[in-house]
Amino acid sequence: MRLFLIFCLFNIAQINSQELLSYRFDELDALQKKEPKKVLIQVYTDWCFVCKLDNKALKNNHRLLGFLNEAAYFVRFNPETFKNDITFNNKIFKYKS
């Protein structure tokens, strides 16, 4: 009986642990050709306190996560660590050091 109860609780936890699907810039062209959606870009840094609060609030809002996964392609972008050129919307954005 305990094993069954643990199994049920584990499955419920998995259902409620929905994650936001995030993509890279180099994936967007193919995704847009397959299924066009809006693109939402989150610019963040590792040291940003407000960014961490936003991420925590977003992880806890399962309804919003579901909506974003269906309605948009979400890109998390850390400009301090990403040092390559970016191709987005048929434009090339060059990295300048």
Side-chain angles (χ1 to χ4, degrees):
M1 183 67 174
R2 281 187 190 174
L3 184 59
F4 176 73
L5 197 60
I6 291 171
F7 179 75
C8 289
L9 290 174
F10 180 73
N11 283 336
I12 290 170
Q14 281 186 323
I15 291 170
N16 288 332
S17 66
Q18 183 175 10
E19 289 187 29
L20 183 61
L21 301 174
S22 63
Y23 301 93
R24 299 183 317 264
F25 282 105
D26 60 350
E27 298 174 303
L28 289 177
D29 284 336
L31 290 168
Q32 289 289 23
K33 287 177 185 173
K34 185 178 179 183
E35 183 180 356
K37 293 182 184 180
K38 301 286 185 189
V39 176
L40 179 63
I41 301 170
Q42 179 191 29
V43 179
Y44 74 99
T45 60
D46 293 331
W47 52 265
C48 175
F49 179 72
V50 175
C51 301
K52 291 178 183 180
L53 289 176
D54 286 345
N55 284 337
K56 185 176 180 180
L58 185 59
K59 282 183 181 180
N60 292 330
N61 191 334
H62 300 290
R63 192 168 166 202
L64 180 58
L65 288 174
F67 173 76
L68 288 175
N69 283 338
E70 289 180 26
Y73 295 117
F74 187 78
V75 178
R76 296 193 73 218
F77 178 65
N78 185 341
E80 293 183 331
T81 60
F82 194 84
K83 307 293 185 193
N84 300 325
D85 295 344
I86 296 171
T87 302
F88 177 67
N89 204 19
N90 296 322
K91 295 180 184 175
I92 298 175
F93 298 90
K94 297 276 186 188
Y95 171 75
K96 296 180 182 178
S97 58

